Structure formats: structure tokens, C-alpha cells
Amino acid sequence: MTGKMNNKSLPPVLTMTMNRLVPRNSDMYLIGLLLAMQAIYQSTAAAMEHQDGDHGEVATDSASDRRQPSDYDDISPTFAILYPSFTQTIAVLMYFVLSRYLPFLPYSAIVYIFGFMLGFFAGGDSLTNLEKSSILWLGINGQVLLLVFLPGLIFLDAFTLNVHLFFKSFWQLVLFAFPMVLGGTALTALFAYYVFPYGWGFNLSMTFGAILSGTDPIAVSGLLSSLGAPPRLQMHISGESLLNDGAAVLFYNIFSRRFMFDEGIVGDGLGQDIGWVEGFVTFFRLSGGGLAIGLAFGLGTVFLLRILNNQLSSEESIIQVVLLFSISYLTYFVTEILCLCSGIIATITLGITVKILAKEMINDMGLALHFFEVVGQLLNTLLFILGGTLWGNIISDDTVGEGKITRTFTRNFGGEDWGYLLALFCYLVAARFVLVFLFFPLTSRIGIGTNVKESIFMAFAGFRGTVGIALALSLYADLRENLKGKDLEACQCAELVYCFSGGIALFTLLLIGIASKPVLEGLGLAAKEKTRHEVVQNYQEHLKKRALRNYIRLLSEPRFKGVDHSAVMGFVPSLRDITLEDLLQAVRWHKSNTASHLYLPPALEHVLPYLVEGSGGGMNDSLLRSIAQRHVRIFREREVEKREWTTRVFGDSLIGSTHAATGEDQEAINEYRLTFIELLREAYHEQITAGELPEHSNIAHSLFESLNLSENLVNKGHELNDWEGVGVASATRIVVINRAFHVILLRLKHIWQGKVKWTRRLRFNFEMFEIWFLVRQALAFVKAHRRAQQEFEENFAATPV
């Protein structure tokens, strides 16, 4: 209820009271009603259960002293809130310590170790409240576990993809995903089948291989961005992770069902006798079905986003984000549970479809991205801590039963097992290198290509993380729930699978996560610190000069004539080391940029004593003029030097470069080109803010995509030619399809409202649209380049005016 009540039959006092209370407290009334209904239901159910208990006998099992899952049925569901809230709070504190004092340690590995410690030291005669809460989480059904964690994480990865690079490198990513994942699954299964002494069968070995075949860039994605790694490498790592998650889950579904069928677990989504031919059919059915369902949900989502396009309503912006979040989970559920297809592939398709067709329809893209980043942070942190808790509790060597909070069966993870874990880790790293370079002759020639250095880092940074932990948790939970401790051998196999999966996740997150930065720098794939330092130093010099110019402008006002320069230096550190040359330059700039009838000479008598030793406060205007004249020539020479330098870096039109540079000089040029691209991006955003460029338009889409293309070319050492990138982005079918889709939706809306007839207004003149599109695009392009050129000359040029 949002409006006031208008009931003339009620007394005025009661009407006023209802108007005040109902709109503000309707949510509390609803919660109270739900709680009352729940209490009635629980009391009725308890009475019926008690009545049934009077006619039966209670069976007890005194033959076993081990804790069974039923032993924890008396734990109140309210304790479920404690575990995630407590662990997330501790994770925030850990992030603070890591980001401030230990930045070389990967966050995901540390929170995983934190979860491991929670599980390792848990147990005893009596359970703590935190242990009770963790039991509720660790007892979640396997499918529910995947439903909670995977949709939000997968949709975030798909929604934040660089669509241009994704489609350019699509066939490379397909090779990275499906053939390489199948190869990784087979190689890992060979090790588990022939090397492990546990007697694992073929199906369990393949299930174990599928769990460890997926890669996760969570521990290295931030590192790649912060060190300025090539966009091609970032695309390969993130795109491979996104697609091979789907492939890994596909293979896991097939072989885990075969394994559960061997153990006598049969049911929906559980055991199933899948033959080889049926396995291939199942693979294509899962992947093709997921693709089709994801596309259907994606188109439906685009339609809903289109009708919720009131940009002036902040409430609709929030509703759009709620829609995206809800539809991601709904798509996964319908595909995975109801249609028995691949939920991950469906969610990936959903995210990419929305990114391509509906990016311009989202009212507040920043709000959507920030929301899903928050969701991803929460889910990743909780998943790693939950996985660490289970891993630590399983491998601890406490006595059976009373020392454990999760196990109903045990096999101590001893020194021999740790040796096999270390051998498996080394084997997986070697297998990863073999697979990457086995496909290198093909991947280096298709898509956006690759090179040996990038392939080495891809092979080295093959992390095992989020999806692997989720799958291992799911297998453990499914076996624990369905076997109830009856088949100890199968249950011990599930424990061992999770022990090895958790150990591999820890080793890759911690060891490879720490070593990734020196490896990236050693391969020359990170931006040089010297080059970045030069760019930052130039920017600091410009900020210093800008502050000095503003200071001179203030000193020309009468109210600041008696200002104490020593006090100013205490508050503005950049004014502490200014020279006489800097001061003269600022005075000259102030005079040339101020109207003659408004110009007043600045009061410098309190500033000059800090610049020229022994001059006192008597330096007059004639002295200033004589000194300024000596520097005019220097200023003009520097202007010429600056123009020559800018031409050498960007060319006469700031688009191309004819200067042949090598080594550190070329690296510096590339860094300045990348800086100029960021200035262009900011200039386009300024036009959007000013209302000159529609934010949700194909023009803005093509301009921003051209910058992504140019950034990729610059990282390869090519010239800065973003106008060519604009042409490439404009020629894609995405722009035309997107525009046609908008027009069709608008015409259908008019037809529905009865404003036009079907045959008269569904026509679309593509030729006129192309002319209109190119003219608007060129105007925005030219204005942005003029603004970026001015900004670059003022703030980033190596020899400023």
C-alpha cells in the first residue's frame, strides 16, 4: 500500500491513524501474518506426528556410536545464518590485512585456509554454535549447492565479457574448452586409475578428472588487470574458464551418473546407466538444450528490459537488476532441474545474449555491474570457506565419531596420501602444459592468435577453484545423503575425491597464485614499471602546474595579498618544491588567459623569498619581466619539442604513428597510446553525461567497441587507429540486428495500442539508418578526439607547455 486511505465512513482520527501506520508498516504486518501461519502449521504438524507416534514403535540403533546425519536434526534452522555472516565478516578483515600489508598473498587462497582451520579444529563432546551452523551448510543437498553458487557466478562472468574479443576468439575458446577439458579429464583419470592405490573404478576416475579439469581465473584476473597484461591473454584465460566450466559440468554429469548407478543410487539427476553412444547423445543434448533454453530466456529478458526502460525512474533501474538476478537463477533451474540439460551453458548463453542485445536497454549499467560484483564476492568467499571447512574436517585425524562434525565414516588422510596429492599436483601442471602446446599450432593460427609466452602463462595459470570445489562438494553431499553410511567404501571414495580436489585447489590458489606475478613479469607480458612510472610522473607534474596556476590566480585577488606562503605549502605539498621557472610560467599563463580589463598582477612578495635565496621581498616587476624574457625562448622551444614528441607518438592526426621505435621507447609509446584510449573513453562518457550522445544507442556501442579493438591492437604493437575500429564495430551484424530489434518492438507496441496498422509501419529503411548512423557517429568521434587531444597535451605530454 503506497497511497493514503480514502474511506469517508471511518472516523477522521481512525482514518489518519491508518494513513500513517499502514503504508509505513505493511511489511511488518505481512511478516507477522506469515509467522502466525507458520506457527499454526508447525503446531498442527507436531500434533499429527505425536498422534502417529502413539501407534508405532520408536526404532533405535545402538550398534553404532558414530554420528549420523539424523543426529543433527534437532539443530535449529536459525543457526544457518551464523556461518555465512560470521565468515564473511572475518573475510572482510582478512581482505583489509592482505590489501594493506600482504598484497602478494591471493585472497581466495587465504579464505580457503581460514575455512580449513575452522573445519580442522572443529568437533568435540559438544558442538559450538558456529559448528552447528556449519553442519547445516555442509549438509545441503548437492544439487541445491550448485543451484545456490553457480548461476550468480556464471552470469557475472558472461555479462562482463568483452563481446568483441569473445566472438573474435570464439573458436580458440571452443578448443580450449571442450577438447582440452576432455583431454584433461582423461589424463587425470589415468593418474587416478593407474597410480592411486585406492582401487577406483573407471567411472569414479573420470568423475574425478572432470572435477579437476575446469579452470578458474579468480586468483589471477585481478593480477592481469593491475599489471597491464595484454587483453588477448585476459580474454583467453577468462573465456576459457567460462566455457570449460560448462564442459567440465557436462562430463561430470555423465560420469557421476554412471558412478552412482554402479553404487546402486538411482533417481532423478542421480544414477543412470549411460552407454558410450548414449553418452555422446547426452553430451549434445545437454549442451544443445542448454544453448536453446538460454537463448530463449535471453530474448525474453531483452523484451522485459525493453519495456522497463524509463531512465528517469530509479526504481525501474533497480527492478532491471532484480530481473537479471532472478532470471539467471530461473534459467539455471529450468534447464538443469526441469529440462535435464546444461544449466551452465544456458546461463552463459543468457548472459551473452543480454550483453549483446540489451546492453543499451539497461538504465544503470554501473548499478547492475556493481550488484553482480557484490554477489560474486559473497558467493566466491562463502564457497571457498565452505569448501575449506569440509576439507579441513575430513583430513583431520581425530577419533572417529565424536571428533567429527561431518563424517559418519572415516579414513585418515595420512602421509602417503599427502605424497600422492603432491604428485598429482605436479602431474596436473605438466598435463596442462602438454595440452596447451598440443593445440598451439592450431590456436596460434585462428581467432585472435596467440604466442609462446602467452601460452606458457596460460598453461602455468590453470587454476582449479570455484566450479571444481562446487562439484566435489556436490558429489560428497549426494553420496552422504543417499548412502547414509551404508556403503563405507563408496563413502570413503567420496571423501578421498574431495580431499584431493580440495588439496589441488589450495596448491593452485596459493602456490601458483603467488608465483603468477613474477612469471608474468619474467615473460614480459606485464607493463613495464619504468614506463608506468614515467606516465604517472608526467601526470604529477601537470597536477603540480595546475595547482600553481590556480594559486597564482588566487594571489591576484586582493583578499589573498597577505597570504603566508609557508602555511600554504603545509596544506598543498605540490607547492613546496616549485622553482622560479615554474612560477614565471604560471604568471605568464595567468596573464594570457585572463581578459586585459580583468587582469590584476599577482602578489608574489610572500612567495619569491622561498624561491630565490637572499632576494628578500623586494623583487620588483622589472626584474620579473627581465627574467621572463630570458625564458620566453625556452618556453617556445619546449612547445616545438612537445609537438614533435606528440607527433612521433601519435602521428599528425593523433591516429597513427610513422616513427619506428623499438625496445623501451616502443613500450613507452604503447603506454601513452593506451592512456590516450582511456581519455577517449572518458570523452565519450562526457558526451553521454551532457546528453549529446545517447547512452543506450548503437552509436555509443560502436564507439566503445572501437576502443576495445584499438586497445587490443596497441598491445600487439600496432598503430593507434581507432577510426578503423569504429568501422569494424559499425559493420558488425550486432548493430543492425540490435537496431532492427528495437524498431520491431516499438512497432509491435504501436500495433498493440492500435495506433498503426501492421503493413504500414513495420518497414525499416536501412539505407537512411546507415546515413544517420554514420553522421552522428563521426560527429561524436571528432569531438571526443579533440577533447582527448587537449586533455593529453595538458596532463600527460612528456614536455608540457
Side-chain angles (χ1 to χ4, degrees):
M1 298 178 65
T2 57
K4 291 186 177 181
M5 298 182 64
N6 186 15
N7 194 335
K8 298 182 179 179
S9 63
L10 293 177
V13 177
L14 182 58
T15 302
M16 181 179 65
T17 303
M18 294 297 290
N19 286 334
R20 288 180 176 272
L21 292 180
V22 174
R24 299 179 183 179
N25 299 282
S26 57
D27 53 349
M28 299 302 298
Y29 297 152
L30 180 60
I31 293 174
L33 179 61
L34 292 176
L35 291 176
M37 294 174 63
Q38 183 186 22
I40 295 174
Y41 172 78
Q42 289 179 346
S43 61
T44 305
M48 294 177 64
E49 182 179 357
H50 179 71
Q51 183 177 3
D52 294 339
D54 293 340
H55 301 283
E57 296 181 355
V58 179
T60 59
D61 182 11
S62 59
S64 175
D65 295 331
R66 295 173 180 172
R67 287 179 177 169
Q68 300 295 328
S70 58
D71 297 339
Y72 304 129
D73 291 342
D74 59 341
I75 299 178
S76 174
T78 56
F79 281 96
I81 302 298
L82 177 60
Y83 183 83
S85 58
F86 174 79
T87 53
Q88 292 285 355
T89 303
I90 299 299
V92 170
L93 300 178
M94 295 172 66
Y95 172 81
F96 172 78
V97 175
L98 293 175
S99 61
R100 300 299 192 275
Y101 308 107
L102 300 170
F104 59 91
L105 292 178
Y107 168 80
S108 52
I110 300 304
V111 296
Y112 189 78
I113 294 176
F114 167 64
F116 165 79
M117 295 175 64
L118 289 179
F120 189 84
F121 295 106
D125 296 334
S126 60
L127 296 175
T128 64
N129 292 332
L130 183 60
E131 290 171 354
K132 293 178 182 179
S133 181
S134 63
I135 288 171
L136 295 176
W137 279 89
L138 294 173
I140 295 177
N141 176 272
Q143 288 185 331
V144 175
L145 194 70
L146 297 179
L147 282 169
V148 170
F149 288 102
L150 292 187
L153 296 174
I154 297 299
F155 184 82
L156 171 64
D157 292 338
F159 191 64
T160 55
L161 270 181
N162 185 322
V163 177
H164 170 75
L165 289 181
F166 177 78
F167 283 107
K168 290 277 290 184
S169 60
F170 178 75
W171 293 112
Q172 283 178 302
L173 300 179
V174 170
L175 286 177
F176 290 147
F178 293 95
M180 281 182 58
V181 168
L182 181 59
T185 300
L187 291 176
T188 307
L190 289 176
F191 188 92
Y193 189 81
Y194 290 105
V195 178
F196 282 171
Y198 311 120
W200 289 1
F202 172 78
N203 291 324
L204 179 58
S205 299
M206 290 296 289
T207 302
F208 179 66
I211 290 174
L212 294 181
S213 61
T215 60
D216 184 7
I218 182 174
V220 74
S221 57
L223 177 68
L224 294 175
S225 300
S226 62
L227 294 181
R232 180 174 66 180
L233 177 61
Q234 298 184 44
M235 184 70 253
H236 282 162
I237 290 178
S238 60
E240 178 201 11
S241 172
L242 185 63
L243 292 185
N244 72 15
D245 284 348
V249 174
L250 283 174
F251 295 131
Y252 169 81
N253 286 334
I254 293 174
F255 291 107
S256 65
R257 292 177 185 179
R258 288 172 56 90
F259 167 68
M260 291 185 184
F261 181 83
D262 294 340
E263 299 299 328
I265 305 175
V266 181
D268 293 338
L270 296 173
Q272 185 179 354
D273 187 15
I274 301 177
W276 288 105
V277 176
E278 188 179 357
F280 282 103
V281 174
T282 301
F283 176 83
F284 289 106
R285 179 180 64 81
L286 293 177
S287 56
L291 182 65
I293 297 173
L295 182 61
F297 272 95
L299 294 177
T301 305
V302 172
F303 175 78
L304 293 176
L305 291 173
R306 180 66 181 87
I307 62 178
L308 293 170
N309 63 344
N310 187 356
Q311 300 180 24
L312 300 180
S313 173
S314 59
E315 184 177 0
E316 284 201 8
S317 300
I318 297 175
I319 293 299
Q320 283 188 335
V321 177
V322 173
L323 170 65
L324 294 176
F325 178 76
S326 304
I327 206 70
S328 63
Y329 278 85
L330 180 62
T331 302
Y332 188 94
F333 178 84
V334 171
T335 308
E336 189 78 21
I337 305 301
L338 300 183
C339 300
L340 300 180
C341 295
S342 174
I344 286 186
I345 292 182
T347 309
I348 293 173
T349 307
L350 169 72
I352 295 176
T353 303
V354 173
K355 180 68 176 291
I356 294 174
L357 296 179
K359 181 181 178 181
E360 292 78 17
M361 302 179 189
I362 299 176
N363 297 335
D364 193 341
M365 179 62 72
L367 175 63
L369 291 176
H370 291 161
F371 174 81
F372 278 100
E373 287 172 357
V374 171
V375 171
Q377 178 72 14
L378 291 173
L379 293 178
N380 271 313
T381 301
L382 181 58
L383 181 59
F384 278 114
I385 295 178
L386 186 65
T389 302
L390 179 59
W391 186 56
N393 191 250
I394 289 178
I395 69 171
S396 61
D397 56 356
D398 288 348
T399 307
V400 178
E402 294 304 324
K404 298 288 96 184
I405 64 173
T406 61
R407 298 167 72 185
T408 59
F409 37 83
T410 186
R411 179 195 181 283
N412 290 335
F413 199 77
E416 182 182 2
D417 300 315
W418 282 101
Y420 281 113
L421 176 60
L422 183 60
L424 176 63
F425 172 72
C426 298
Y427 175 81
L428 289 176
V429 174
R432 172 74 176 173
F433 273 90
V434 171
L435 290 172
V436 169
F437 283 96
L438 180 65
F439 289 92
F440 178 77
L442 187 58
T443 57
S444 61
R445 290 174 171 82
I446 61 176
I448 55 178
T450 186
N451 55 41
V452 175
K453 292 183 178 181
E454 293 180 3
S455 299
I456 291 175
F457 187 79
M458 277 193 63
F460 179 78
F463 289 87
R464 274 78 179 175
T466 306
V467 174
I469 291 177
L471 294 179
L473 278 170
S474 175
L475 179 66
Y476 177 82
D478 285 337
L479 290 177
R480 183 169 179 259
E481 178 183 359
N482 290 279
L483 292 178
K484 305 291 185 182
K486 298 176 183 178
D487 189 347
L488 294 182
E489 183 179 356
C491 294
Q492 289 176 1
C493 289
E495 278 192 336
L496 285 172
V497 167
Y498 190 81
C499 286
F500 283 107
S501 302
I504 292 301
L506 177 63
F507 284 171
T508 55
L509 290 172
L510 188 61
L511 300 180
I512 298 182
I514 294 176
S516 292
K517 181 178 180 180
V519 170
L520 193 69
E521 293 175 342
L523 292 173
L525 298 175
K528 297 295 183 181
E529 291 294 332
K530 179 180 178 181
T531 303
R532 289 197 162 191
H533 178 71
E534 290 178 355
V535 175
V536 173
Q537 188 176 15
N538 288 337
Y539 186 68
Q540 290 175 345
E541 287 295 324
H542 283 285
L543 288 180
K544 171 184 171 182
K545 294 182 181 300
R546 183 176 297 177
L548 183 57
R549 291 172 180 176
N550 290 328
Y551 185 44
I552 294 298
R553 179 179 57 81
L554 293 175
L555 290 177
S556 64
E557 299 181 13
R559 55 177 175 160
F560 293 115
K561 285 189 175 181
V563 70
D564 185 0
H565 184 66
S566 61
V568 174
M569 290 190 297
F571 288 99
V572 187
S574 60
L575 298 179
R576 295 174 183 174
D577 55 350
I578 59 176
T579 64
L580 180 61
E581 179 181 343
D582 296 332
L583 183 66
L584 293 174
Q585 180 183 357
V587 171
R588 177 172 172 267
W589 180 90
H590 172 66
K591 185 174 183 179
S592 61
N593 287 273
T594 306
S596 57
H597 65 285
L598 298 177
Y599 175 76
L600 294 174
L604 304 177
E605 58 270 14
H606 297 288
V607 180
L608 293 174
Y610 294 91
L611 306 178
V612 181
E613 184 178 358
S615 62
M619 185 172 288
N620 52 31
D621 293 341
S622 61
L623 179 58
L624 281 175
R625 284 195 297 270
S626 63
I627 297 175
Q629 289 174 358
R630 292 200 303 267
H631 287 78
V632 169
R633 179 176 52 84
I634 299 176
F635 295 148
R636 291 178 178 175
E637 290 177 355
R638 291 201 172 186
E639 288 181 1
V640 175
E641 292 176 2
K642 176 193 167 299
R643 292 194 182 97
E644 293 177 352
W645 182 88
T646 305
T647 302
R648 179 169 62 88
V649 176
F650 295 100
D652 293 336
S653 60
L654 285 178
I655 294 180
S657 173
T658 57
H659 177 72
T662 58
E664 295 184 358
D665 191 24
Q666 182 63 46
E667 292 176 0
I669 291 175
N670 290 342
E671 192 68 29
Y672 280 110
R673 286 172 174 169
L674 293 175
T675 303
F676 188 73
I677 289 175
E678 293 302 320
L679 294 177
L680 283 174
R681 186 173 282 111
E682 182 63 27
Y684 289 136
H685 281 297
E686 288 180 359
Q687 293 186 39
I688 292 174
T689 304
E692 301 171 0
L693 180 63
E695 180 180 7
H696 307 294
S697 66
N698 301 291
I699 298 175
H701 171 79
S702 63
L703 292 173
F704 284 117
E705 285 299 314
S706 71
L707 297 182
N708 295 331
L709 175 64
S710 301
E711 189 175 19
N712 182 41
L713 294 176
V714 168
N715 279 287
K716 294 180 180 179
H718 296 291
E719 299 176 351
L720 177 59
N721 193 348
D722 60 318
W723 178 248
E724 180 179 347
V726 170
V728 173
S730 303
T732 59
R733 297 179 181 179
I734 295 175
V735 173
V736 178
I737 293 175
N738 195 6
R739 178 60 183 172
F741 189 74
H742 288 191
V743 172
I744 292 173
L745 287 179
L746 185 61
R747 298 301 180 258
L748 290 176
K749 177 182 177 182
H750 290 165
I751 293 171
W752 178 264
Q753 296 174 348
K755 295 180 179 180
V756 297
K757 294 182 179 180
W758 177 274
T759 56
R760 186 167 63 89
R761 292 301 302 268
L762 273 181
R763 301 172 183 175
F764 179 64
N765 192 329
F766 286 95
E767 183 178 355
M768 290 300 299
F769 164 70
E770 183 179 5
I771 295 174
W772 172 87
F773 181 87
L774 292 176
V775 171
R776 293 286 303 274
Q777 185 185 68
L779 292 174
F781 178 88
V782 171
K783 183 171 184 178
H785 275 71
R786 289 175 178 172
R787 179 71 181 90
Q789 180 177 354
Q790 179 184 0
E791 184 73 16
F792 182 86
E793 291 177 352
E794 292 179 355
N795 293 324
F796 291 95
T799 311
V801 179

